[in-house]
Amino acid sequence: MRKGTIFEKSRLPLQKWFAAAWLTASRRKGIPSTQLAREIGVT
């Protein structure tokens, strides 16, 4: 499913990538990386 995409070698599930993209795009001024990590549950 991820083969041939930019996500191919990522260890994160696609759900986390899409959640991060949505959170970033849905905020007018963006989101700090530390808050983004907390909200999607990654370190």
Side-chain angles (χ1 to χ4, degrees), residues 14-33:
L14 282 176
Q15 284 181 318
K16 294 212 185 238
W17 277 110
F18 289 129
W22 182 82
L23 285 168
T24 303
S26 67
R27 307 247 167 105
R28 187 177 187 111
K29 291 188 176 184
I31 183 172
S33 60

Side-chain angles (χ1 to χ4, degrees), residues 16 20 23 31-43:
K16 294 212 185 238
L23 285 168
I31 183 172
S33 60
T34 52
Q35 184 179 351
L36 179 61
R38 271 194 309 272
E39 290 199 26
I40 64 171
V42 299
T43 56

Side-chain angles (χ1 to χ4, degrees), residues 2 4-10 17:
R2 293 194 255 180
T5 70
I6 61 172
F7 306 106
E8 184 173 4
K9 293 184 181 181
S10 174
W17 277 110

